[in-house]
Amino acid sequence: MSEPGCPMCQKLAHPEQGKGDEVVWRFPNSVAMLGRWQGYAGYCVLAANVHARELFDLPDDGRRAYFDEMCLLARAIQKAFSPHKLNYELLGNQVPHLHWHVFPRYQGDPDLLSPVWKAIDAAEQDAGKKTTLETGPDPRERTVARIQEALAALGAPNA
Ligand SMILES: [Zn+2]
C-alpha cells in the first residue's frame, strides 16, 4: 500500500511532521492537504491513500471514488472562496504518487493564461515573489477551517 522512499507515503504516514501541508480532510480514498502557495487562496493537494503512480494503477472503484473526492474538494473550495476558475492538475513528475493539485484562479492574476508553475518557479528564485505566492488573504488555519466548513456543508464523507 505504501512505497519505501516515497515522500508522499511518508507525509501521509506522519502528516504532523510536515511544515505546512495541514490536513484539511481525510476522505475514504485520499487526504486533502492545504498547499504551500496560498496566494492562490484555497489551493489544496489531494493525495491518494495508496501508493500508485498512474490513475490506471488504481482499481476501478477506487479510481472513481478518488476522482469524486477531488470533485467534492473542488466544489468546497469554490463554495468557500468563489474563485474565477479552478485548475486541476495531476502531474507527479517530482513525486510519482497520485496527487491532484486543485488551484483556484482569481481575477487579476497576471498569469491567467498560464498554468501556475511558471509563477511558482519564478517565486522559488525570488524571496519577495515567494512571500507573495505563499501568503493568502487569511491565516492558513482560517483557510483550512473555511474549506472544512464547506466540505461538511456538502456532506463530504470523512474517513
Ligand atoms: Zn507513495
Side-chain angles (χ1 to χ4, degrees), residues 37-126:
W37 308 106
Q38 288 303 309
Y40 304 99
Y43 160 51
C44 284
V45 173
L46 185 69
N49 283 348
V50 298
H51 183 88
R53 292 180 66 92
E54 306 296 344
L55 282 171
F56 56 70
D57 290 332
L58 292 174
D60 289 351
D61 56 346
R63 183 181 63 250
R64 291 178 185 126
Y66 179 40
F67 183 75
D68 286 348
E69 290 166 2
M70 190 275 286
C71 292
L72 201 47
L73 175 62
R75 183 175 289 175
I77 294 168
Q78 181 72 41
K79 186 176 168 67
F81 294 97
S82 302
H84 166 65
K85 184 67 182 76
L86 291 164
N87 290 176
Y88 316 90
E89 298 192 78
L90 186 72
L91 302 170
N93 301 323
Q94 291 185 317
V95 179
H97 174 135
L98 289 174
H99 60 283
W100 286 102
H101 296 270
V102 183
F103 274 103
R105 303 297 295 270
Y106 294 90
Q107 292 287 5
D109 183 337
D111 301 311
L112 207 53
L113 293 178
S114 302
V116 297
W117 304 106
K118 273 189 184 173
I120 287 173
D121 192 45
E124 297 273 23
Q125 320 297 328
D126 180 305

